[in-house]
Amino acid sequence: MEQRQQRRASKQRDWSKFLKKDLVKKLLIAGIVAALCGFLIVNIFIWTSDVSKLNKPAPQPTIIYDQNGKIASKISNSSIEGVGIKQIPKEMIHAVVATEDQRFYKHNGINYFAIMKAFFKNMLSGDIVAGGSTVTQQLAKNAFLTHERTYTRKVKEVIITKKIERTYSKDEIMERYLNQIYFGEGAWGIQRAAKTYFGKEASELTLSESAMLAGLIKAPSILSPFKNMEKSVERRDLVLALMEKEGYISQDDVEKAKEQPVVLNEDKVEDEYDGKYPYYVDHIIEEAMKKYQLTKNEVLSGGLHIYTELNPAIQKATEEVYQNGNLFPESPEDQLLQSGAILIDPENGGIQALVGGRGEHTFLGFNRATQLIRQPGSTMKPLAVYTPALEQGYEIFDLLEDKPLDIGGYQPQNYDKQYRGQVTMYDAVVNSYNVPPVWLLNEIGLEKGTKAVEKFGIPLQEEDRALGIALGGMHDGTSPLAMAQAYSAFANNGNMVEAHSIQKIVDAEGKVIAKWKSKSTTVIKPEIAQKITYMLKGVVEEGTGKNAFLDGFDVAGKTGSTQLPFAIDAGTKDHWFVGYTPDIVGAVWLGYDQTDENHYLATSSSGTTPVIFKEILSKAKSELSNEKFALTSIEKKYKNEIKKMKEKEEKARKEQEKEKEKQEKNNGKGKGNKEKNKGKKDKDKDEEDENEEDEDE
């Protein structure tokens, strides 16, 4: 009986052991499966996490270079000014690693020992008081997460961190980290921090300065040397000690760094190039986007190097002129009289300078030098009439009709409402008469005029194909940029090169991503260009453009104005002057953005835009040569005509003098007779008075 019970108990024990072993085995298998599932799930989360935001390079300012290859301006749309890893000193990187993440180059994004240490510390305190984050985790938090202290956020942080480590190299992670971390005093990123605290580029930081900046990361507001130099130096020394411990520097390096005086930047952080030449920079941005298909963000924060045609001396001269209110008619209080000017090199089409408005500049706002579309007035005459007429065989001193004209109801008038019967083409150009060019365009054919305008690069609408084009009458109009480019053909012996501001664009890695390709068009023959220049030079020397005359320089040009859209006895809507020397071509526009009965130009164009043009050239004399227009052959050809003209003018002058003398003599005789008659009348009156007195008596 006892043996039977013992055997039964033994069997129960064996069965119990078997069950326990099976349970352990199942639990073990279940644990492994759970771990594998968890591992798989975590990796799925890691794999599906999107960290492509970090693919975008840290915002780096775009640097603008002038035509001499010197820095002219900088542009950026971010408070962060990014730099590449090669621009960050090794000492700065080592200081951050030694202070923030000693195992940065050894772990895969997570320092598990530091996390466990922080975990137990948090458990003991009953709250999350410690982190143990690596540099990669801090980058993940700064770029993708909030700063709340929760376990959920920590899990997300770990997943994103692992994805970052699998996607980017250690150098790429460090570069992104140092460009995004906050260093206090409003400085985001190492470049801004270097400028804010020490007034220098990040690449120029010393060991001592690098250690001080690395020490700020823990608590920038408390450790700022501007607020507490003692604490900041103490923290710097700790960073130096950690760097020595990690083997990055020697004890001798530590001592030398401590001996270096801390020289803080007491001035406000301002880049001398930020905001320079605003209107020119606006045009560069527009050109980069439209011509080279770059996005606005690429231009503003892609770290590009844009080499341009900017002439800083001429640009500065133009800006100074536009800051001088005395050169512009007075504006009413409710609307500023506006203007725009652009100057280009006729030989290569390079935009030398431009100003797109008066008053406060608005970033990427309306640019009146390049974007304004207005009727060009008489500045169109050389393009639409006189050039095609010369091409058809007309000559400078041929006579043109200046009589009342009515062509299909179109009745142009001269500005002074007078007619002279006949005038030479030269006189018509110099004095800007209106009737002769309309008559001439009708003679040569409207189609030849419109084709000429289009050859000069000015697009026309169907409504523009009318005789009014002779006087600049257009449905919409054209821009100062287009007019300057068109007139460049006259200055460049008949060849017109497309106007441009950008020579080439180089990306942050030094690769050329865009380059200007010259586009030159032979618009007219050299002889025609010289004939036009001969007449336009006369405009400046003796005609409506005399206020653009600059002593010692050959200047040619044409004034222009447009009618008001409402009935007022005197006044104009727009004033133009397009002028040039052998070196430079410029167009100036003046007017109101909104023209109405209270906002219009009361003076003539001869007293405004030519003055502005002359002042710009006068201030930029150092950039201009004393070269003369190549008109020797033209002047020789028209020598006899010029001689006859001068003789005719001299004869007319003498006749006027004789007539004047004759009138003066007649006036003198008339005066004597008047006095004689007056005396006689007085005598008769006295006699009458005497008789009256006698009668009274």
Side-chain angles (χ1 to χ4, degrees):
M1 186 72 177
E2 289 180 3
Q3 288 180 350
R4 193 180 296 167
Q5 289 176 343
Q6 287 176 355
R7 282 196 300 270
R8 190 180 296 168
S10 177
K11 285 180 181 181
Q12 289 176 348
R13 284 196 299 270
D14 291 341
W15 182 249
S16 178
K17 286 180 182 180
F18 174 77
L19 289 175
K20 285 181 180 178
K21 284 182 180 179
D22 193 46
L23 180 62
V24 170
K25 187 177 179 181
K26 286 181 178 180
L27 288 173
L28 183 61
I29 292 171
I32 293 171
V33 171
L36 287 172
C37 288
F39 179 77
L40 181 62
I41 292 170
V42 169
N43 276 275
I44 289 173
F45 277 118
I46 294 172
W47 178 62
T48 56
S49 295
D50 181 14
V51 294
S52 60
K53 180 180 177 181
L54 296 177
N55 286 339
K56 297 177 183 178
Q60 297 184 43
T62 285
I63 301 175
I64 309 295
Y65 297 87
D66 63 25
Q67 61 182 219
N68 302 312
K70 295 182 178 179
I71 296 177
S73 186
K74 288 183 180 179
I75 49 177
S76 177
N77 65 346
S78 173
S79 58
I80 297 175
E81 188 175 338
V83 289
I85 193 70
K86 293 179 181 178
Q87 296 170 275
I88 303 172
K90 288 290 183 185
E91 291 84 356
M92 184 68 221
I93 295 171
H94 294 158
V96 170
V97 172
T99 311
E100 296 294 315
D101 187 1
Q102 290 89 349
R103 294 180 54 80
F104 175 70
Y105 290 106
K106 298 174 184 178
H107 61 62
N108 292 319
I110 308 295
N111 187 337
Y112 296 103
F113 176 77
I115 287 178
M116 291 304 296
K117 184 179 177 182
F119 176 76
F120 285 115
K121 191 173 182 179
N122 293 336
M123 288 290 288
L124 290 172
S125 66
D127 195 6
I128 299 177
V129 295
S133 297
T134 63
V135 162
T136 316
Q137 285 176 275
Q138 291 182 52
L139 176 60
K141 179 175 63 179
N142 291 334
F144 300 100
L145 303 169
T146 65
H147 288 260
E148 61 178 344
R149 289 178 174 271
T150 64
Y151 287 110
T152 302
R153 197 222 69 192
K154 269 292 179 184
V155 171
K156 291 180 182 178
E157 182 183 299
V158 169
I159 290 170
I160 294 173
T161 297
K162 298 300 288 186
K163 182 60 179 282
I164 291 173
E165 284 282 342
R166 294 179 186 181
T167 308
Y168 302 99
S169 69
K170 290 293 185 181
D171 280 349
E172 288 173 334
I173 292 169
M174 181 58 71
E175 178 186 305
R176 285 157 174 75
Y177 173 78
L178 285 173
N179 278 320
Q180 292 194 15
I181 200 72
Y182 184 59
F183 287 90
E185 301 292 339
W188 291 89
I190 185 62
Q191 176 76 347
R192 288 279 182 176
K195 288 182 177 179
T196 299
Y197 289 101
F198 305 113
K200 58 174 63 176
E201 302 289 317
S203 59
E204 300 171 338
L205 290 170
T206 65
L207 172 58
S208 174
E209 292 165 345
S210 296
M212 183 167 281
L213 290 181
L216 293 177
I217 295 173
K218 180 182 178 182
S221 60
I222 297 172
L223 298 171
S224 168
F226 286 118
K227 296 173 181 174
N228 195 323
M229 177 61 77
E230 187 178 344
K231 279 189 177 182
S232 187
V233 170
E234 185 180 327
R235 178 69 176 170
R236 177 205 65 181
D237 293 346
L238 174 60
V239 174
L240 289 170
L242 290 171
M243 290 177 73
E244 182 192 3
K245 180 182 176 183
E246 294 297 319
Y248 291 123
I249 57 175
S250 65
Q251 179 61 38
D252 187 47
D253 294 328
V254 173
E255 295 304 322
K256 287 181 180 178
K258 288 181 178 180
E259 290 173 3
Q260 288 180 1
V262 178
V263 182
L264 295 176
N265 176 36
E266 298 295 341
D267 299 325
K268 186 180 178 182
V269 180
E270 286 183 357
D271 194 315
E272 62 176 308
Y273 300 109
D274 282 348
K276 285 192 75 174
Y277 313 133
Y279 281 108
Y280 196 101
V281 169
D282 282 354
H283 181 65
I284 290 170
I285 296 170
E286 294 287 345
E287 189 172 301
M289 291 192 294
K290 291 179 181 177
K291 192 173 187 65
Y292 299 109
Q293 288 76 54
L294 295 175
T295 66
K296 186 177 177 181
N297 280 338
E298 283 176 317
V299 179
L300 296 181
S301 57
L304 302 179
H305 298 263
I306 303 180
Y307 294 83
T308 74
E309 300 286 356
L310 171 71
N311 184 313
I314 299 177
Q315 179 66 33
K316 185 179 178 183
T318 309
E319 290 183 359
E320 287 178 355
V321 167
Y322 271 74
Q323 288 164 4
N324 184 356
N326 294 327
L327 296 173
F328 297 84
E330 190 174 349
S331 307
E333 292 183 1
D334 60 336
Q335 189 180 165
L336 181 66
L337 177 63
Q338 278 298 344
S339 182
I342 187 167
L343 297 106
I344 68 175
D345 183 335
E347 189 174 350
N348 64 14
I351 298 174
Q352 306 283 287
L354 68 85
V355 169
R358 299 179 65 212
E360 187 177 350
H361 169 261
T362 301
F363 180 63
L364 289 180
F366 185 56
N367 194 324
R368 296 166 188 84
T370 60
Q371 297 172 332
L372 174 106
I373 300 295
R374 290 288 182 96
Q375 293 186 357
S378 293
T379 59
M380 182 61 80
K381 292 174 183 175
L383 309 179
V385 182
Y386 296 120
T387 289
L390 292 171
E391 289 178 322
Q392 294 304 305
Y394 278 84
E395 290 292 350
I396 290 175
F397 293 102
D398 284 352
L399 293 173
L400 310 179
E401 292 292 317
D402 185 22
K403 299 174 182 177
L405 200 61
D406 187 338
I407 304 175
Y410 180 50
Q411 300 175 332
Q413 289 185 322
N414 294 321
Y415 66 91
D416 59 359
K417 305 293 192 297
Q418 302 295 315
Y419 300 96
R420 294 154 186 85
Q422 286 185 325
V423 294
T424 64
M425 183 188 293
Y426 181 86
D427 281 337
V429 174
V430 167
N431 297 298
S432 199
Y433 297 141
N434 291 334
V435 175
V438 175
W439 175 86
L440 182 57
L441 180 58
N442 190 55
E443 288 291 307
I444 65 173
L446 175 61
E447 187 179 358
K448 287 185 171 61
T450 55
K451 282 185 176 179
V453 173
E454 290 175 326
K455 274 202 307 180
F456 280 105
I458 298 175
L460 297 178
Q461 299 181 38
E462 194 57 39
E463 298 92 332
D464 299 332
R465 302 180 189 282
L467 288 175
I469 192 68
L471 308 181
M474 302 176 72
H475 184 264
D476 291 325
T478 187
S479 67
L481 171 58
M483 291 303 293
Q485 178 180 276
Y487 271 59
S488 70
F490 301 141
N492 195 34
N493 233 20
N495 293 322
M496 184 179 73
V497 183
E498 186 179 2
H500 64 285
S501 62
I502 297 173
Q503 292 179 359
K504 66 177 179 179
I505 302 175
V506 180
D507 67 16
E509 303 300 319
K511 180 184 176 183
V512 177
I513 59 174
K515 195 170 185 179
W516 161 249
K517 293 180 181 178
S518 181
K519 295 181 181 179
S520 178
T521 306
T522 300
V523 180
I524 51 177
K525 293 179 180 179
E527 185 181 1
I528 303 298
Q530 291 166 16
K531 288 178 180 180
I532 292 291
T533 295
Y534 180 82
M535 291 190 287
L536 296 184
K537 185 183 176 190
V539 171
V540 173
E541 291 179 349
E542 54 181 310
T544 58
K546 283 191 288 188
N547 282 321
F549 180 80
L550 187 61
D551 191 32
F553 293 87
D554 262 10
V555 181
K558 185 72 189 75
T559 55
S561 59
T562 63
Q563 290 182 333
L564 290 169
F566 44 83
I568 284 185
D569 291 339
T572 51
K573 180 182 179 183
D574 306 279
H575 285 180
W576 289 81
F577 184 77
V578 187
Y580 56 97
T581 73
D583 303 312
I584 199 163
V585 182
V588 180
W589 168 85
L590 182 75
Y592 286 96
D593 287 340
Q594 302 295 329
T595 303
D596 55 38
E597 286 83 350
N598 298 315
H599 304 91
Y600 63 90
L601 296 161
T603 60
S604 68
S605 59
S606 61
T608 57
T609 44
V611 175
I612 297 168
F613 182 79
K614 175 188 175 179
E615 285 299 314
I616 293 172
L617 294 193
S618 182
K619 286 181 175 292
K621 278 183 179 179
S622 61
E623 302 302 304
L624 305 176
S625 70
N626 291 320
E627 183 183 350
K628 303 298 181 183
F629 289 123
L631 302 176
T632 306
S633 60
I634 299 297
E635 290 172 342
K636 185 178 180 181
K637 182 177 180 179
Y638 293 117
K639 187 175 181 180
N640 291 332
E641 282 84 349
I642 296 169
K643 185 178 179 181
K644 288 178 183 178
M645 275 183 58
K646 288 184 177 179
E647 288 176 352
K648 187 178 178 181
E649 288 174 359
E650 183 64 20
K651 184 179 179 181
R653 186 183 64 79
K654 287 180 178 179
E655 287 179 354
Q656 286 178 352
E657 287 180 355
K658 285 181 181 179
E659 185 65 27
K660 187 177 179 182
E661 289 176 2
K662 187 177 179 181
Q663 288 179 355
E664 288 177 352
K665 285 181 180 179
N666 289 336
N667 288 339
K669 288 180 180 178
K671 186 177 180 181
N673 289 333
K674 283 180 181 178
E675 288 177 353
K676 187 176 180 181
N677 291 334
K678 185 173 182 267
K680 186 178 180 182
K681 287 180 180 178
D682 290 343
K683 185 178 179 182
D684 292 342
K685 187 174 185 299
D686 290 340
E687 289 177 353
E688 288 177 3
D689 290 341
E690 287 177 3
N691 292 333
E692 285 178 2
E693 287 174 1
D694 292 341
E695 288 175 3
D696 288 338
E697 289 176 354

